[in-house]
Amino acid sequence: MRQTKISLFAGVMLALSSLIGSGWLFGSGAAARVAGPAAVISWIIGAVIMILIAFNYVELGTMFPESGGMSRFAQYSHGPLLGFMAAWANWVSLVTLLPIEAVACVQYMSTWPWGWASWTRHLMADGAITTAGLLGVYLIMIVFTLINFWSVKLLTRFTSLVAVFKLLIPSLTILTLIWVGFHPGNFGHSTTTFMPYGTRGIFEAVAVSGIILSYDAFQTVINMAGEMVNPQKNIFRGVWLSLTITAVIYILLQVAFIGAVSPATLAQVGWHGVNFASPFADLAILLGLHWLSLLLYVDAFVSPFGTGVTFVATASRTLAAMTRNGNLPAWVGRLNRRYMIPRFAMLADLALAMVLVYFFRDWSKLATVVSISTFVAYATGPVTAVALRKMRPGFKRPFHSKHLRWVAPLSFVLTGLVIYWAMWPTTVEVIGIVLLGLPIYFYYDRKYNRVPLTQQLKGAGWLLAYLVFISVVSYLGSSGFGGHDILKYPYDFLVIIVASLFFYGWAVAARVDGPDLAVAAEVNADVKVD
């Protein structure tokens, strides 16, 4: 039996390899189209939201340092039904990341400017992957899986090498674009020109431009906790280091992109009309920086590749953790005896990813599915952290902050707002995907019948009601967010904020002191506190 532990450096590199993926290639261009120069604020808001949410999970991850832990935390505090809903939503988002990164590779390939690469033009048509491109996407996803199929050591060596490359190219892009083609006037000369689409555009960009997708991979550190050296300290360090580095890079990339667009182009089509197929590579070519465009085309393959490889590891461990909860067949989570890797879970993830990309061949649509399903899962994090403090104040908590009492309700409110910002009907479509897992759950629950249904509904009823509430408000909300404008902007925000605080109180009160807490106590007993 071989199992190689992941060091802090390797953990940070693993997270950065996930965080700096296709989001940096497409996010700046997409956000600028939605919010104009104010997209810079969108990236800052996205970073703040993810840091606040991560705050809850750092406490939980250090309390329960186990692989795929984010699939189990909610079950400890509120029982198996809520645990399954959170795990399923999180797993859907992670599996969707595999085709997203593969699609990103193929989309940049389709814009290669060289004569010998003319065949790549057939990989995309009207912004969507063609049948030929689909075969390329499938091949890339298979390679993602094979790199993970043998030992954690191979994974960390690969991702550490890729992460260094992925840090250098965005940094070089930022410096070069600012030095060669920066137009300060693009940022406007008044509030109106800085925010041409108002404050609504700023919030919309957070949810629909890949910003949440770009920051989401902090959970890589949490889900790999069972394989980290000194997880009690390194989970905290890994999350904050990776998120901070990523936020700085993404914000500066947005600044560089806005400054590099030709003022003549803006005068002609406006920010809504700035639509590059390969945003940074196209800018480099327009500025005559052909050497930079070549590097960007290479990185456009390497960055998504590194992220896709990492998320095979994260998604498989999440699925394996769900089998330990008893909600899926045990064989899916079975570990390979030699490398202690859930190979069957990897193959199941690959199969579902292939189905998803067959039906959703557009990068932005896949990115929105990831963002919203992730935040459905994240709604349980603040609730679980506070509920466990009330039920088991004696649990060992290597990371214990007095700020949780205000961070938890604030981050819960923000999850509701982000789901709403994704716009009707996307909100209800993604919520529907999340709820599709319930028949599977109830099949296994009826088979094993471990916890009374009334107790399960007590622990999970608040989330079911909250998802219905968000769907209704999304339908009634302001037209700027796809609704029917019955609730005008910004009163739609006010309704969500007030109601979310009510649901947060309900959720904490709905905690369940059941048999799952005994399992949590066993995991927590092995935690060392200096």
Side-chain angles (χ1 to χ4, degrees):
M1 181 184 297
R2 299 179 184 177
Q3 187 173 18
T4 303
K5 288 288 185 177
I6 300 173
S7 66
L8 173 61
F9 175 79
V12 171
M13 290 297 103
L14 199 62
L16 288 175
S17 186
S18 304
L19 285 159
I20 305 175
S22 58
W24 94 265
L25 299 168
F26 297 101
S28 294
R33 285 198 304 276
V34 174
V40 174
I41 298 176
S42 301
W43 284 98
I44 295 172
I45 291 173
V48 170
I49 290 173
M50 296 308 288
I51 288 171
L52 289 171
I53 289 172
F55 193 94
N56 303 280
Y57 283 103
V58 168
E59 173 162 322
L60 293 169
T62 53
M63 288 171 64
F64 311 112
E66 52 185 331
S67 295
M70 290 185 70
S71 297
R72 294 173 62 79
F73 300 148
Q75 181 158 341
Y76 291 155
S77 62
H78 286 74
L81 179 54
L82 186 70
F84 176 82
M85 292 177 66
W88 180 269
N90 194 44
W91 177 63
V92 167
S93 71
L94 293 174
V95 171
T96 310
L97 277 162
L98 306 184
I100 278 180
E101 301 305 325
V103 166
C105 292
V106 171
Q107 182 165 334
Y108 259 74
M109 284 176 62
S110 71
T111 64
W112 281 353
W114 309 290
W116 60 265
S118 59
W119 59 273
T120 64
R121 307 290 190 278
H122 304 293
L123 300 177
M124 296 280 297
D126 299 323
I129 296 293
T130 63
T131 301
L134 192 64
L135 295 176
V137 170
Y138 284 169
L139 178 61
I140 291 169
M141 289 194 297
I142 289 170
V143 175
F144 288 169
T145 303
L146 290 177
I147 290 176
N148 276 273
F149 223 59
W150 296 278
S151 91
V152 170
K153 188 174 183 180
L154 176 62
L155 169 65
T156 54
R157 283 181 175 177
F158 176 84
T159 51
S160 294
L161 178 63
V162 168
V164 172
F165 185 82
K166 290 168 70 170
L167 286 171
L168 288 175
I169 300 303
S171 301
L172 181 61
T173 301
I174 292 167
L175 294 172
T176 304
L177 292 182
I178 291 176
W179 180 261
V180 174
F182 195 74
H183 305 285
N186 287 358
F187 289 86
H189 54 273
S190 66
T191 303
T192 302
T193 51
F194 177 69
M195 296 189 297
Y197 311 116
T199 54
R200 178 193 61 79
I202 294 174
F203 298 122
E204 180 187 340
V206 174
V208 304
S209 303
I211 291 176
I212 294 301
L213 163 71
S214 301
Y215 288 130
D216 182 46
F218 79 86
Q219 63 172 285
T220 300
V221 178
I222 306 291
N223 281 319
M224 300 291 284
E227 292 146 278
M228 290 193 74
V229 174
N230 192 11
Q232 290 73 34
K233 291 183 177 179
N234 286 342
I235 290 174
F236 169 77
R237 294 167 178 168
V239 168
W240 298 127
L241 280 171
S242 57
L243 267 179
T244 301
I245 293 169
T246 304
V248 171
I249 290 173
Y250 277 123
I251 291 167
L252 290 177
L253 278 167
Q254 186 67 72
V255 170
F257 180 88
I258 291 170
V261 176
S262 168
T265 300
L266 290 178
Q268 184 176 4
V269 301
W271 286 106
H272 275 337
V274 178
N275 190 12
F276 296 121
S278 308
F280 284 105
D282 289 346
L283 281 177
I285 291 173
L286 290 173
L287 292 170
L289 301 169
H290 296 286
W291 62 270
L292 180 60
S293 68
L294 177 59
L295 281 176
L296 288 166
Y297 280 120
V298 172
D299 189 69
F301 197 83
V302 174
S303 287
F305 208 86
T307 302
V309 168
T310 304
F311 269 104
V312 169
T314 306
S316 63
R317 284 156 179 80
T318 300
L319 183 58
M322 290 171 68
T323 67
R324 295 199 298 274
N325 293 344
N327 300 322
L328 292 171
W331 61 265
V332 174
R334 190 176 302 152
L335 299 178
N336 172 267
R337 292 185 178 181
R338 183 177 184 187
Y339 296 116
M340 301 303 291
I341 288 172
R343 287 182 169 178
F344 289 111
M346 287 181 185
L347 294 174
D349 291 344
L350 176 62
L352 179 59
M354 287 180 167
V355 172
L356 282 169
V357 77
Y358 181 82
F359 290 103
F360 300 99
R361 303 188 184 191
D362 180 271
W363 185 89
S364 60
K365 289 181 180 178
L366 287 167
T368 303
V369 171
V370 170
S371 301
I372 305 314
S373 56
T374 298
F375 269 71
V376 170
Y378 284 166
T380 65
V383 171
T384 293
V386 172
L388 285 171
R389 281 195 179 186
K390 292 180 179 295
M391 287 190 292
R392 293 295 185 272
F395 271 4
K396 300 172 187 175
R397 290 175 170 82
F399 178 79
H400 186 283
S401 173
K402 63 182 180 181
H403 298 298
L404 185 69
R405 59 189 173 191
W406 65 266
V407 170
L410 175 59
S411 52
F412 184 87
V413 169
L414 290 171
T415 60
L417 286 170
V418 169
I419 295 171
Y420 176 72
W421 295 341
M423 303 181 28
W424 176 273
T426 307
T427 45
V428 73
E429 290 171 352
V430 178
I431 287 171
I433 292 173
V434 172
L435 296 180
L436 278 176
L438 290 179
I440 298 174
Y441 172 81
F442 284 117
Y443 170 79
Y444 281 95
D445 180 68
R446 184 178 180 183
K447 188 175 181 179
Y448 296 109
N449 195 26
R450 296 175 299 273
V451 179
L453 182 60
T454 53
Q455 185 173 319
Q456 296 187 51
L457 290 174
K458 176 197 173 186
W462 66 269
L463 182 58
L464 292 168
Y466 191 54
L467 294 179
V468 171
F469 163 76
I470 292 290
S471 299
V472 171
V473 174
S474 184
Y475 176 82
L476 300 175
S478 56
S479 57
F481 291 94
H484 288 68
D485 216 28
I486 297 172
L487 282 173
K488 306 288 185 180
Y489 175 78
Y491 299 109
D492 47 354
F493 282 28
L494 183 61
V495 168
I496 291 174
I497 291 169
V498 173
S500 294
L501 290 173
F502 164 76
F503 278 103
Y504 170 78
W506 175 8
V508 173
R511 58 190 181 271
V512 174
D513 196 334
D516 293 296
L517 266 177
V519 178
E522 293 177 7
V523 178
N524 186 252
D526 294 330
V527 171
K528 297 178 182 178
V529 181
D530 294 336

PDB file of all heavy atoms in Angstrom, residues 79-101:
ATOM      1  N   GLY A  79     -28.075  15.900   9.509  1.00  0.00           N
ATOM      2  CA  GLY A  79     -28.582  14.608   9.090  1.00  0.00           C
ATOM      3  C   GLY A  79     -28.343  14.294   7.622  1.00  0.00           C
ATOM      4  O   GLY A  79     -27.859  15.132   6.855  1.00  0.00           O
ATOM      5  N   PRO A  80     -28.702  13.077   7.215  1.00  0.00           N
ATOM      6  CA  PRO A  80     -28.315  12.572   5.895  1.00  0.00           C
ATOM      7  C   PRO A  80     -28.969  13.263   4.702  1.00  0.00           C
ATOM      8  O   PRO A  80     -28.363  13.368   3.644  1.00  0.00           O
ATOM      9  CB  PRO A  80     -28.724  11.092   5.949  1.00  0.00           C
ATOM     10  CG  PRO A  80     -29.738  11.012   7.040  1.00  0.00           C
ATOM     11  CD  PRO A  80     -29.363  12.054   8.039  1.00  0.00           C
ATOM     12  N   LEU A  81     -30.213  13.751   4.821  1.00  0.00           N
ATOM     13  CA  LEU A  81     -30.872  14.369   3.673  1.00  0.00           C
ATOM     14  C   LEU A  81     -30.178  15.680   3.287  1.00  0.00           C
ATOM     15  O   LEU A  81     -29.871  15.905   2.109  1.00  0.00           O
ATOM     16  CB  LEU A  81     -32.354  14.615   3.958  1.00  0.00           C
ATOM     17  CG  LEU A  81     -33.153  15.286   2.834  1.00  0.00           C
ATOM     18  CD1 LEU A  81     -33.008  14.526   1.520  1.00  0.00           C
ATOM     19  CD2 LEU A  81     -34.633  15.406   3.222  1.00  0.00           C
ATOM     20  N   LEU A  82     -29.915  16.532   4.253  1.00  0.00           N
ATOM     21  CA  LEU A  82     -29.209  17.776   3.943  1.00  0.00           C
ATOM     22  C   LEU A  82     -27.786  17.470   3.475  1.00  0.00           C
ATOM     23  O   LEU A  82     -27.278  18.112   2.551  1.00  0.00           O
ATOM     24  CB  LEU A  82     -29.157  18.705   5.158  1.00  0.00           C
ATOM     25  CG  LEU A  82     -28.554  20.076   4.836  1.00  0.00           C
ATOM     26  CD1 LEU A  82     -29.491  20.895   3.968  1.00  0.00           C
ATOM     27  CD2 LEU A  82     -28.203  20.848   6.109  1.00  0.00           C
ATOM     28  N   GLY A  83     -27.165  16.479   4.111  1.00  0.00           N
ATOM     29  CA  GLY A  83     -25.822  16.095   3.696  1.00  0.00           C
ATOM     30  C   GLY A  83     -25.786  15.666   2.242  1.00  0.00           C
ATOM     31  O   GLY A  83     -24.876  16.035   1.498  1.00  0.00           O
ATOM     32  N   PHE A  84     -26.801  14.911   1.822  1.00  0.00           N
ATOM     33  CA  PHE A  84     -26.843  14.470   0.429  1.00  0.00           C
ATOM     34  C   PHE A  84     -27.069  15.646  -0.515  1.00  0.00           C
ATOM     35  O   PHE A  84     -26.416  15.746  -1.564  1.00  0.00           O
ATOM     36  CB  PHE A  84     -27.954  13.439   0.234  1.00  0.00           C
ATOM     37  CG  PHE A  84     -28.113  13.020  -1.203  1.00  0.00           C
ATOM     38  CD1 PHE A  84     -27.290  12.047  -1.742  1.00  0.00           C
ATOM     39  CD2 PHE A  84     -29.070  13.615  -2.022  1.00  0.00           C
ATOM     40  CE1 PHE A  84     -27.412  11.662  -3.077  1.00  0.00           C
ATOM     41  CE2 PHE A  84     -29.198  13.240  -3.356  1.00  0.00           C
ATOM     42  CZ  PHE A  84     -28.365  12.257  -3.879  1.00  0.00           C
ATOM     43  N   MET A  85     -27.986  16.532  -0.178  1.00  0.00           N
ATOM     44  CA  MET A  85     -28.276  17.669  -1.059  1.00  0.00           C
ATOM     45  C   MET A  85     -27.042  18.551  -1.255  1.00  0.00           C
ATOM     46  O   MET A  85     -26.743  18.988  -2.373  1.00  0.00           O
ATOM     47  CB  MET A  85     -29.438  18.490  -0.493  1.00  0.00           C
ATOM     48  CG  MET A  85     -30.770  17.767  -0.532  1.00  0.00           C
ATOM     49  SD  MET A  85     -32.104  18.728   0.238  1.00  0.00           S
ATOM     50  CE  MET A  85     -32.225  20.110  -0.893  1.00  0.00           C
ATOM     51  N   ALA A  86     -26.328  18.803  -0.172  1.00  0.00           N
ATOM     52  CA  ALA A  86     -25.110  19.618  -0.270  1.00  0.00           C
ATOM     53  C   ALA A  86     -24.047  18.901  -1.079  1.00  0.00           C
ATOM     54  O   ALA A  86     -23.386  19.498  -1.940  1.00  0.00           O
ATOM     55  CB  ALA A  86     -24.588  19.940   1.131  1.00  0.00           C
ATOM     56  N   ALA A  87     -23.883  17.611  -0.813  1.00  0.00           N
ATOM     57  CA  ALA A  87     -22.862  16.832  -1.521  1.00  0.00           C
ATOM     58  C   ALA A  87     -23.195  16.710  -3.000  1.00  0.00           C
ATOM     59  O   ALA A  87     -22.313  16.843  -3.862  1.00  0.00           O
ATOM     60  CB  ALA A  87     -22.734  15.445  -0.888  1.00  0.00           C
ATOM     61  N   TRP A  88     -24.462  16.478  -3.315  1.00  0.00           N
ATOM     62  CA  TRP A  88     -24.872  16.323  -4.709  1.00  0.00           C
ATOM     63  C   TRP A  88     -24.655  17.629  -5.480  1.00  0.00           C
ATOM     64  O   TRP A  88     -24.120  17.621  -6.592  1.00  0.00           O
ATOM     65  CB  TRP A  88     -26.344  15.906  -4.773  1.00  0.00           C
ATOM     66  CG  TRP A  88     -26.861  15.720  -6.160  1.00  0.00           C
ATOM     67  CD1 TRP A  88     -27.459  16.666  -6.956  1.00  0.00           C
ATOM     68  CD2 TRP A  88     -26.825  14.514  -6.940  1.00  0.00           C
ATOM     69  NE1 TRP A  88     -27.794  16.127  -8.172  1.00  0.00           N
ATOM     70  CE2 TRP A  88     -27.419  14.813  -8.192  1.00  0.00           C
ATOM     71  CE3 TRP A  88     -26.368  13.230  -6.705  1.00  0.00           C
ATOM     72  CZ2 TRP A  88     -27.555  13.857  -9.200  1.00  0.00           C
ATOM     73  CZ3 TRP A  88     -26.498  12.271  -7.705  1.00  0.00           C
ATOM     74  CH2 TRP A  88     -27.084  12.597  -8.931  1.00  0.00           C
ATOM     75  N   ALA A  89     -25.075  18.753  -4.894  1.00  0.00           N
ATOM     76  CA  ALA A  89     -24.900  20.046  -5.561  1.00  0.00           C
ATOM     77  C   ALA A  89     -23.419  20.332  -5.800  1.00  0.00           C
ATOM     78  O   ALA A  89     -23.024  20.790  -6.884  1.00  0.00           O
ATOM     79  CB  ALA A  89     -25.527  21.158  -4.723  1.00  0.00           C
ATOM     80  N   ASN A  90     -22.603  20.058  -4.787  1.00  0.00           N
ATOM     81  CA  ASN A  90     -21.169  20.304  -4.929  1.00  0.00           C
ATOM     82  C   ASN A  90     -20.557  19.376  -5.971  1.00  0.00           C
ATOM     83  O   ASN A  90     -19.726  19.792  -6.784  1.00  0.00           O
ATOM     84  CB  ASN A  90     -20.481  20.107  -3.577  1.00  0.00           C
ATOM     85  CG  ASN A  90     -19.075  20.661  -3.560  1.00  0.00           C
ATOM     86  OD1 ASN A  90     -18.819  21.765  -4.047  1.00  0.00           O
ATOM     87  ND2 ASN A  90     -18.141  19.908  -3.020  1.00  0.00           N
ATOM     88  N   TRP A  91     -20.992  18.128  -5.974  1.00  0.00           N
ATOM     89  CA  TRP A  91     -20.460  17.159  -6.941  1.00  0.00           C
ATOM     90  C   TRP A  91     -20.851  17.546  -8.375  1.00  0.00           C
ATOM     91  O   TRP A  91     -20.032  17.461  -9.288  1.00  0.00           O
ATOM     92  CB  TRP A  91     -20.979  15.761  -6.609  1.00  0.00           C
ATOM     93  CG  TRP A  91     -20.555  14.709  -7.582  1.00  0.00           C
ATOM     94  CD1 TRP A  91     -19.284  14.297  -7.853  1.00  0.00           C
ATOM     95  CD2 TRP A  91     -21.414  13.942  -8.443  1.00  0.00           C
ATOM     96  NE1 TRP A  91     -19.293  13.307  -8.820  1.00  0.00           N
ATOM     97  CE2 TRP A  91     -20.587  13.075  -9.197  1.00  0.00           C
ATOM     98  CE3 TRP A  91     -22.792  13.893  -8.630  1.00  0.00           C
ATOM     99  CZ2 TRP A  91     -21.099  12.180 -10.125  1.00  0.00           C
ATOM    100  CZ3 TRP A  91     -23.307  13.004  -9.558  1.00  0.00           C
ATOM    101  CH2 TRP A  91     -22.464  12.162 -10.289  1.00  0.00           C
ATOM    102  N   VAL A  92     -22.096  17.993  -8.580  1.00  0.00           N
ATOM    103  CA  VAL A  92     -22.528  18.427  -9.917  1.00  0.00           C
ATOM    104  C   VAL A  92     -21.615  19.542 -10.423  1.00  0.00           C
ATOM    105  O   VAL A  92     -21.190  19.551 -11.579  1.00  0.00           O
ATOM    106  CB  VAL A  92     -23.994  18.899  -9.893  1.00  0.00           C
ATOM    107  CG1 VAL A  92     -24.352  19.648 -11.179  1.00  0.00           C
ATOM    108  CG2 VAL A  92     -24.935  17.712  -9.711  1.00  0.00           C
ATOM    109  N   SER A  93     -21.293  20.486  -9.538  1.00  0.00           N
ATOM    110  CA  SER A  93     -20.433  21.598  -9.951  1.00  0.00           C
ATOM    111  C   SER A  93     -19.034  21.116 -10.296  1.00  0.00           C
ATOM    112  O   SER A  93     -18.425  21.574 -11.276  1.00  0.00           O
ATOM    113  CB  SER A  93     -20.366  22.659  -8.843  1.00  0.00           C
ATOM    114  OG  SER A  93     -19.613  22.207  -7.734  1.00  0.00           O
ATOM    115  N   LEU A  94     -18.502  20.185  -9.515  1.00  0.00           N
ATOM    116  CA  LEU A  94     -17.145  19.690  -9.756  1.00  0.00           C
ATOM    117  C   LEU A  94     -17.067  18.878 -11.040  1.00  0.00           C
ATOM    118  O   LEU A  94     -16.103  19.005 -11.816  1.00  0.00           O
ATOM    119  CB  LEU A  94     -16.683  18.843  -8.566  1.00  0.00           C
ATOM    120  CG  LEU A  94     -16.483  19.594  -7.244  1.00  0.00           C
ATOM    121  CD1 LEU A  94     -16.180  18.603  -6.125  1.00  0.00           C
ATOM    122  CD2 LEU A  94     -15.364  20.615  -7.363  1.00  0.00           C
ATOM    123  N   VAL A  95     -18.061  18.040 -11.283  1.00  0.00           N
ATOM    124  CA  VAL A  95     -18.054  17.232 -12.505  1.00  0.00           C
ATOM    125  C   VAL A  95     -18.199  18.128 -13.731  1.00  0.00           C
ATOM    126  O   VAL A  95     -17.571  17.892 -14.767  1.00  0.00           O
ATOM    127  CB  VAL A  95     -19.184  16.178 -12.466  1.00  0.00           C
ATOM    128  CG1 VAL A  95     -19.318  15.492 -13.808  1.00  0.00           C
ATOM    129  CG2 VAL A  95     -18.888  15.138 -11.389  1.00  0.00           C
ATOM    130  N   THR A  96     -18.998  19.186 -13.624  1.00  0.00           N
ATOM    131  CA  THR A  96     -19.180  20.102 -14.748  1.00  0.00           C
ATOM    132  C   THR A  96     -17.890  20.826 -15.098  1.00  0.00           C
ATOM    133  O   THR A  96     -17.689  21.257 -16.242  1.00  0.00           O
ATOM    134  CB  THR A  96     -20.292  21.123 -14.434  1.00  0.00           C
ATOM    135  OG1 THR A  96     -21.452  20.441 -13.962  1.00  0.00           O
ATOM    136  CG2 THR A  96     -20.670  21.922 -15.670  1.00  0.00           C
ATOM    137  N   LEU A  97     -16.997  20.963 -14.134  1.00  0.00           N
ATOM    138  CA  LEU A  97     -15.719  21.626 -14.394  1.00  0.00           C
ATOM    139  C   LEU A  97     -14.852  20.842 -15.379  1.00  0.00           C
ATOM    140  O   LEU A  97     -14.014  21.437 -16.070  1.00  0.00           O
ATOM    141  CB  LEU A  97     -14.962  21.833 -13.087  1.00  0.00           C
ATOM    142  CG  LEU A  97     -15.377  23.077 -12.299  1.00  0.00           C
ATOM    143  CD1 LEU A  97     -14.928  22.975 -10.851  1.00  0.00           C
ATOM    144  CD2 LEU A  97     -14.830  24.336 -12.935  1.00  0.00           C
ATOM    145  N   LEU A  98     -15.008  19.536 -15.427  1.00  0.00           N
ATOM    146  CA  LEU A  98     -14.186  18.740 -16.349  1.00  0.00           C
ATOM    147  C   LEU A  98     -14.472  19.104 -17.803  1.00  0.00           C
ATOM    148  O   LEU A  98     -13.544  19.430 -18.560  1.00  0.00           O
ATOM    149  CB  LEU A  98     -14.418  17.243 -16.111  1.00  0.00           C
ATOM    150  CG  LEU A  98     -14.227  16.739 -14.675  1.00  0.00           C
ATOM    151  CD1 LEU A  98     -14.394  15.234 -14.631  1.00  0.00           C
ATOM    152  CD2 LEU A  98     -12.883  17.143 -14.132  1.00  0.00           C
ATOM    153  N   PRO A  99     -15.739  19.103 -18.258  1.00  0.00           N
ATOM    154  CA  PRO A  99     -15.979  19.518 -19.646  1.00  0.00           C
ATOM    155  C   PRO A  99     -15.691  20.999 -19.887  1.00  0.00           C
ATOM    156  O   PRO A  99     -15.306  21.374 -20.997  1.00  0.00           O
ATOM    157  CB  PRO A  99     -17.461  19.195 -19.864  1.00  0.00           C
ATOM    158  CG  PRO A  99     -18.053  19.051 -18.514  1.00  0.00           C
ATOM    159  CD  PRO A  99     -16.964  18.550 -17.633  1.00  0.00           C
ATOM    160  N   ILE A 100     -15.878  21.851 -18.864  1.00  0.00           N
ATOM    161  CA  ILE A 100     -15.586  23.276 -19.043  1.00  0.00           C
ATOM    162  C   ILE A 100     -14.133  23.478 -19.453  1.00  0.00           C
ATOM    163  O   ILE A 100     -13.818  24.206 -20.402  1.00  0.00           O
ATOM    164  CB  ILE A 100     -15.864  24.061 -17.743  1.00  0.00           C
ATOM    165  CG1 ILE A 100     -17.346  24.364 -17.641  1.00  0.00           C
ATOM    166  CG2 ILE A 100     -15.086  25.367 -17.709  1.00  0.00           C
ATOM    167  CD1 ILE A 100     -17.708  25.134 -16.405  1.00  0.00           C
ATOM    168  N   GLU A 101     -13.226  22.844 -18.728  1.00  0.00           N
ATOM    169  CA  GLU A 101     -11.802  23.034 -19.016  1.00  0.00           C
ATOM    170  C   GLU A 101     -11.421  22.406 -20.355  1.00  0.00           C
ATOM    171  O   GLU A 101     -10.600  22.951 -21.094  1.00  0.00           O
ATOM    172  CB  GLU A 101     -10.958  22.449 -17.887  1.00  0.00           C
ATOM    173  CG  GLU A 101     -11.232  23.051 -16.512  1.00  0.00           C
ATOM    174  CD  GLU A 101     -11.085  24.569 -16.496  1.00  0.00           C
ATOM    175  OE1 GLU A 101     -10.206  25.104 -17.206  1.00  0.00           O
ATOM    176  OE2 GLU A 101     -11.861  25.229 -15.780  1.00  0.00           O
TER     177      GLU A 101
END
